[in-house]
């Protein structure tokens, strides 16, 4: 996934002379996760450079650059550290087009690693997607595999609107199904690790079905796609697994079609529950699929606590918890 | 000018918090003794390409060109032609007349809100004369002089203030939050300080693309306390970007005097020194001094010599906004006691002294401008006001959130019936 993200930068920096890439440690060093490795050497320090440790500075400067006519793709080292930039993201990038009636706009991408399952503790594990999804004017994207990472990042960079691009860092080196006690598997053995050379796009706002099934719909994204697939396989239940990929815009049609077919739904995300994105998903499904639902919509999420260090696997919604909820959704 | 209390040492071992207080509160006599630390013409003017190191004194001594008699003196005396000087006076008069009409419109209920820049006209009007087509200002809500000097139609400004059917911002923005890319005026946000770092980013972009345009950032004394101010300084300094970082120190952030933003010790200009950014402290009510400082700073930026910080030292004569009453937190006559006077009066005196203007011409010009502005206001009101006249379509509410309207907004628009 790291290589796919790096490659998306590379492809787009070749194609789009106005694309500039910057953030803390992204230049010479190539990023703490290697996602921008070699870009400065190849494209020069005017196109890819290190910044002061200032998230509001990074995003604020990017807004100004985008207003000039560049297409910045910036990195916040961990999503847990985006809060100093929140004002620039919410009050500025997201609203610039609206408040200026299109006089100015902010075509920019803000990348940030998200999610836990890595013993990251409180400030290297958060999943703040619902904070972005709530902001009108932003698009919010989270890939679950190398193929989508590259295609979605290219689409995000080309998009005329500001896109928050959330990268589950637990998936950087390989798929992770929540079985932390098993050896780490690299991407190379996974079907979606096949990443075409050159340019291609995965459209924003389009979900995909990862597993077709008839008994229950699991709506999820990011790391939890792999957890949901594992839970499905291990429970032997014929679940349909939807990978949203984009949270905003949301592919409501794909969700509604599936839930109307199965009549049951489990929403799975790593983020905390109260006002998490699952609440919005649940409301959308309730409004559109009420008469098709055979049992209540269920949510498997992180607990409403800060992300703990020592209790990583009691916190992380693993395949066992997901399978339990799937079984409950099937009762009656 | 630290208040006396700050110097007092507590008598016991107990710690005590320093909470700065202004020189005067309602009922007190205005007190500005010792405020002016330099006489007109007394501050040196280094070459534009001089290094920042060795320039620290300029952050602490007020650059003034017009003396008490109205003579232009000293090394900062700018090279402005008579027509330019007269145009500058005209711009300031237009700003003041515009403010006055819009204040009235708010009082008459034709709009919800307005903000004047009374007493600060020279800052924006003089500065804008050093900007070129393609340059970009990142203003606050109190630099309407930039727009007016740049020749943006007053009619469009009025329509924005009235949120009427001709409002360029389609009724989406609070009055005075203009946006005019064509006139080098970035979209104003209600969130303070945010545009300061954006200006730096814009200027970095110009440098990245090998362009020739520069940016000007604007912030008030109070908002220098926002974190974006500090980010802007470090980014501008690190990348040596072509930007002029303007602080308009009008002494007041709503009811809070500038000492609360820690302007009562070192000057705001001195903030630049620590970042290695050349910093000027300038008499903001002196049109010639502002122009000279701006010309110096913009030339530095254009010659790729990097950013400059300018503190414009002035006074907010009017209320903070139409929702504010300064009589409850500062001496009533404080603005009249302001030792740097009124920018329009000072330039007028200078021009009369120069023999290119007269009291009679001035009176006539004021009358002409006021009737021009009044005529435009009537025209603007023919397109509606916030409460009466031809309305904007509420369809506008759903447009421009995104480049293309996503399905959920299409549904909401249908649901709303527009």
């Amino acid at each position: 996934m790291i290589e796919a993200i790096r490659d998306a930068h590379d492809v787009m920096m070749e194609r789009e002379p106005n694309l500039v890439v910057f953030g803390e440690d992204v230049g010479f060093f190539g990023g703490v996760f290697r996602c921008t490795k070699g870009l400065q050497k190849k494209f020069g320090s005017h196109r890819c450079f290190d910044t002061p440790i200032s998230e509001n500075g990074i995003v604020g400067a990017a807004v100004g650059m985008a207003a000039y006519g560049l297409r910045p793709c910036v990195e916040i080292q961990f999503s847990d550290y985006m809060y100093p930039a929140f004002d620039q993201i919410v009050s500025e990038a997201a609203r610039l087009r609206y408040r200026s009636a299109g006089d100015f706009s902010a075509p920019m991408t803000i990348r940030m690693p998200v999610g836990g399952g890595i013993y990251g503790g409180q400030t290297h594990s958060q999943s703040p997607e619902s904070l972005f999804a709530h902001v009108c004017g932003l698009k919010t994207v989270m890939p679950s595999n190398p193929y989508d990472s590259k295609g979605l990042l290219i689409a995000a960079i080309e998009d005329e609107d500001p896109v928050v691009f959330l990268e589950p860092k637990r998936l950087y080196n390989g798929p992770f199904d929540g079985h932390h006690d098993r050896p780490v598997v690299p991407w190379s053995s996974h079907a979606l690790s096949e990443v075409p050379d050159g340019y291609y796009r995965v459209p924003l706002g389009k979900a995909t079905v990862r597993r077709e099934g008839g008994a229950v719909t699991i709506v999820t994204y990011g790391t939890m796609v792999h957890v949901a697939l594992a839970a499905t396989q291990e429970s032997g239940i014929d679940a349909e697994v939807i990978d949203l990929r984009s949270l905003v815009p949301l592919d409501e049609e794909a969700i509604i079609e599936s839930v109307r077919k199965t009549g049951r739904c489990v929403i799975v995300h790593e983020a905390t529950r109260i006002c998490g994105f699952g609440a919005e998903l649940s409301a959308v499904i309730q409004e559109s699929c009420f008469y098709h639902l055979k049992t209540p919509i269920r949510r498997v999420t992180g607990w409403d606590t800060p992300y703990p260090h020592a209790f990583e696997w009691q916190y992380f919604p693993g395949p066992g918890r997901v399978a339990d909820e799937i079984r409950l959704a099937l009762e009656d | 000018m630290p208040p006396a209390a700050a110097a007092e040492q507590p008598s016991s071992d107990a710690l005590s918090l320093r909470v700065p207080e202004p020189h005067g509160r309602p009922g007190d006599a205005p007190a500005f003794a010792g405020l002016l630390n330099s006489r007109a013409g007394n501050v040196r003017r280094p070459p534009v390409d001089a290094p920042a190191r060795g320039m620290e004194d300029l952050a602490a001594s007020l650059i003034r060109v017009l003396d008490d008699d109205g003579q232009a003196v000293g090394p900062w005396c700018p090279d402005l032609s008579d027509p330019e000087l007269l145009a500058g006076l005209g711009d300031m008069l237009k700003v003041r007349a515009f403010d006055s009409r819009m204040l009235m419109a708010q009082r008459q209920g034709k709009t919800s809100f307005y903000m004047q820049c009374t007493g600060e006209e020279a800052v924006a009007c003089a500065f804008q004369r050093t900007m070129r087509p393609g340059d970009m200002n990142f203003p606050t809500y109190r630099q309407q002089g930039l727009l007016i000097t740049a020749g943006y139609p007053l009619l469009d400004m009025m329509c924005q203030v009235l949120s009427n059917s001709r409002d360029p911002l389609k009724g989406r923005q609070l009055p005075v939050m203009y946006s005019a890319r064509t006139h080098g005026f970035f979209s104003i946000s209600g969130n303070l300080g945010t545009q300061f770092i954006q200006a730096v980013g814009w200027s970095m972009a110009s440098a990245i693309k090998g362009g020739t345009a520069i940016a000007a950032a604007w912030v008030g004394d109070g908002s220098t306390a926002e974190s974006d101010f500090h980010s802007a300084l470090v980014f501008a300094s690190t990348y040596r970007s072509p930007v002029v970082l303007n602080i308009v120190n009008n002494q007041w952030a709503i009811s809070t005097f500038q000492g609360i933003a820690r302007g009562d010790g070192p000057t705001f200009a001195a903030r630049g020194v620590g970042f290695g950014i050349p910093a000027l402290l300038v008499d903001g009510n002196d049109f010639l001094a502002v122009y000279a400082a701006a010309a110096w700073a913009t030339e530095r930026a254009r010659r790729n010599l990097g950013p400059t910080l300018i503190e414009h030292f002035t006074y907010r004569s009017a209320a903070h906004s139409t929702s504010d009453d300064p009589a409850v937190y500062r001496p009533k006559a404080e603005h009249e006691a302001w030792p740097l006077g009124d920018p329009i009066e000072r330039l007028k005196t200078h021009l009369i002294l120069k023999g290119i203007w007269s009291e009679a011409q001035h009176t006539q010009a004021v009358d002409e401008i006021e009737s021009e502005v009044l005529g435009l206001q009537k025209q603007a009101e023919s397109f509606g006001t916030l409460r009466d006249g031809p309305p904007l379509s509420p369809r506008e509410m759903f447009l421009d959130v995104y480049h293309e309207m996503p399905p959920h907004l299409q549904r909401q628009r249908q649901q709303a019936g527009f």
Side-chain angles (χ1 to χ4, degrees), chain A residues 17-20 22-23 45-47 49-70 84 87-88 91-105 133 135-139 159-162 248-250 252, chain B residues 136 138 168-170 172-173 177 179-182 185-195 197-213 226-229 231-232 234-235 238-239 396-404 406-408 411:
Chain A
N18 288 324
L19 173 60
V20 288
F22 56 95
S45 58
H46 277 194
R47 300 284 308 280
F49 53 89
D50 294 320
T51 63
I53 302 176
S54 169
E55 288 77 12
N56 55 318
I58 292 167
V59 177
V63 171
M65 289 183 191
Y68 178 92
L70 298 188
D87 191 28
Q88 285 288 346
S91 311
E92 304 294 319
R95 293 211 217 114
L96 186 55
R97 180 190 300 281
Y98 188 75
R99 77 171 193 237
S100 70
D103 196 23
F104 294 93
S105 62
V135 178
C136 44
L138 287 184
K139 293 179 177 172
D159 202 89
E160 296 301 325
D161 296 310
V248 179
L250 179 64
E252 294 190 18
Chain B
M136 188 64 70
F138 286 73
L169 305 184
K170 316 288 188 191
R172 296 186 195 135
Q173 263 286 38
M177 306 284 186
S179 176
R181 177 190 279 274
T182 49
F185 192 94
F186 185 73
S187 158
I188 297 179
S189 168
N191 295 67
L192 298 179
T194 53
Q195 79 291 344
I197 174 68
Q198 292 164 2
V200 175
W202 197 97
S203 71
M204 288 169 69
S206 187
I208 286 168
K209 297 303 283 183
T212 55
E226 293 280 8
S227 56
D228 286 336
F229 171 80
S231 306
V234 68
F235 274 65
T238 296
Y239 302 109
E396 291 293 348
M397 187 159 58
F398 295 96
L399 295 169
D400 293 329
V401 181
Y402 296 91
H403 179 58
E404 287 170 9
H408 70 277
R411 280 197 305 276

Side-chain angles (χ1 to χ4, degrees), chain A residues 17-49:
Chain A
N18 288 324
L19 173 60
V20 288
V21 175
F22 56 95
E24 295 159 21
D25 303 303
V26 309
F28 183 85
F29 182 58
V32 294
F33 292 108
R34 322 309 294 151
C35 290
T36 54
K37 188 181 164 195
L39 297 177
Q40 185 176 74
K41 193 173 181 192
K42 184 170 175 186
F43 296 98
S45 58
H46 277 194
R47 300 284 308 280
C48 177
F49 53 89

